[in-house]
Amino acid sequence: MSFLRFILAIFFLVSINFGVSNAHYKLTPTFYDCTCPNVIHIVRDVMEQIQRRDVRAGAKIIRLHFHDCFVNGCDGSILLNNATGIISEKDANPNVGAGGFDIVDEIKTALENECPGVVSCADILALASEIGVVLAGGPSWQVPLGRRDSLTANRSGANSDIPSPTETLAVMIPQFTRKGMDLTDLVALSGAHTFGRARCRTFNQRLFNFSGSGRPDPTIDSNYLKTLQRLCPQGGNGGTFANLDKSTPDEFDNYYFTNLKNHQGLLQTDQELFSTSGSSTISIVTNYANNQHKFFDDFVCSMIKLGNISPLTGTNGEIRKDCKRI
């Protein structure tokens, strides 16, 4: 009987230790130093090539990273195609029309040629996001690495957890707090809209019939409203692109926040940050509009925080050879 107890005790200790090793596995910028030491150089080289032919590359990738992390954590689930047992997040409402998947594939191919089976697709999204920001003139940071890729996707989670461009601030705040993010994170990460584009269908409800009123959103500057109405006429092509930042659309800076103060935010979710009466986000927007250095510092902290949402590590998940399939 004592021998049986001994065996059970050993089994229990091994099980606990195995679980702890995964639970306490920390992401670190040096994760690939031995297994793929050129990982940052490779990702940067590909991003630089793509950026020369597609100025929206950085904005596309950072959107994918954000939408990935807000659904089951940063695990590359957004990249999976439909397959047996996989209901793709690509077809979820917030991801329809999203770009950047081809960029991920191009980076993955380059990494597989150099260090096959080593770098996860989830880490590619995190690394390429930082590099895309830097290439557009934004801040740099050391990206914690060591994420692994999911074995499944969660379309229903994508539909419920990712803020839509027509959300009110009251809806967005709990969407962020449920992920461990606060108001500073909400405003700072929204600042990623300082570059990139959005289609007319994501904001045209503000231009003619806001909230069923039969009138435009009263928080839009009148001259900016006329510009948007010409670009996105009622009943027109909802696929037409508009600049998320009217001032410096391809540069990563703090003009996005200046635009909000001037009531020239493109999406409802943008302008809500400044125009929601009594909200604590107003002072954060004002601070960032006046102090780009503060915005950059907070953005870096929030991006690292975003990238740490429930990553798969240790022996969980896998390293995909093709980011589109398990």
Side-chain angles (χ1 to χ4, degrees):
M1 193 68 171
S2 59
F3 179 75
L4 178 58
R5 288 198 185 101
F6 174 76
I7 294 298
L8 289 174
I10 292 297
F11 179 79
F12 176 76
L13 288 172
V14 169
S15 299
I16 291 296
N17 287 334
F18 183 78
V20 167
S21 68
N22 273 335
H24 290 273
Y25 205 103
K26 300 298 184 183
L27 303 181
T28 170
T30 61
F31 184 82
Y32 296 110
D33 279 6
C34 294
T35 56
C36 192
N38 292 326
V39 58
I40 296 175
H41 173 77
I42 294 168
V43 177
R44 181 180 290 115
D45 185 57
V46 176
M47 283 293 292
E48 287 175 346
Q49 293 178 45
I50 296 173
Q51 181 79 12
R52 286 194 285 270
R53 64 177 188 260
D54 181 4
V55 72
R56 296 168 54 214
K60 290 177 180 179
I61 287 292
I62 205 169
R63 179 189 182 191
L64 288 182
H65 182 43
F66 176 85
H67 284 206
D68 180 42
C69 292
F70 257 54
V71 183
N72 291 3
C74 307
D75 61 1
S77 60
I78 192 173
L79 304 173
L80 290 172
N81 285 346
N82 287 309
T84 302
I86 303 291
I87 301 176
S88 177
E89 294 170 22
K90 293 179 181 181
D91 299 321
N93 291 331
N95 296 328
V96 172
F101 298 105
D102 56 332
I103 300 173
V104 176
D105 290 339
E106 197 166 331
I107 294 171
K108 183 62 172 172
T109 297
L111 287 169
E112 287 296 304
N113 289 336
E114 177 79 12
C115 34
V118 172
V119 182
S120 70
C121 302
D123 275 348
I124 287 173
L125 287 176
L127 265 178
S129 292
E130 187 270 345
I131 291 167
V133 167
V134 172
L135 291 177
S140 64
W141 63 95
Q142 286 192 311
V143 180
L145 301 167
R147 302 166 191 82
R148 288 168 66 85
D149 298 321
S150 70
L151 298 171
T152 187
N154 184 0
R155 185 185 299 176
S156 63
N159 281 321
S160 62
D161 292 359
I162 300 172
S164 83
T166 60
E167 300 286 22
T168 63
L169 187 58
V171 172
M172 285 193 292
I173 289 174
Q175 287 177 314
F176 273 73
T177 56
R178 283 195 295 268
K179 306 299 179 183
M181 314 292 274
D182 58 25
L183 284 182
T184 297
D185 299 316
L186 167 56
V187 179
L189 292 175
S190 296
H193 286 174
T194 187
F195 64 172
R197 313 283 188 270
R199 298 178 190 273
C200 288
R201 59 172 168 263
T202 62
F203 61 86
N204 57 13
Q205 87 288 347
R206 302 183 67 207
L207 308 183
F208 304 99
N209 186 27
F210 182 65
S211 298
S213 65
R215 297 184 299 276
D217 184 343
T219 66
I220 305 179
D221 169 75
S222 58
N223 289 326
Y224 187 48
L225 174 63
K226 292 174 184 175
T227 298
L228 294 178
Q229 286 176 332
R230 287 193 296 270
L231 179 67
C232 307
Q234 202 162 16
N237 180 6
T240 301
F241 282 105
N243 295 325
L244 283 163
D245 176 351
K246 63 174 289 293
S247 302
T248 53
D250 300 322
E251 296 176 27
F252 199 98
D253 53 32
N254 68 333
Y255 274 93
Y256 164 84
F257 298 103
T258 303
N259 294 336
L260 299 187
K261 290 183 64 179
N262 294 330
H263 299 279
Q264 295 172 337
L266 184 67
L267 306 180
Q268 180 179 340
T269 48
D270 294 326
Q271 196 57 53
E272 289 264 339
L273 300 176
F274 185 78
S275 297
T276 301
S277 179
S279 173
S280 300
T281 57
I282 296 172
S283 61
I284 303 174
V285 168
T286 301
N287 191 9
Y288 291 165
N290 295 332
N291 188 339
Q292 179 169 281
H293 181 74
K294 175 61 174 171
F295 164 50
F296 280 9
D297 282 350
D298 285 357
F299 180 79
V300 166
C301 292
S302 294
M303 283 297 294
I304 293 173
K305 195 172 175 181
L306 172 73
N308 273 283
I309 297 177
S310 304
L312 297 175
T313 59
T315 58
N316 294 318
E318 66 171 2
I319 303 299
R320 293 186 210 138
K321 294 182 179 180
D322 181 341
C323 292
K324 300 185 293 298
R325 55 184 61 89
I326 61 172

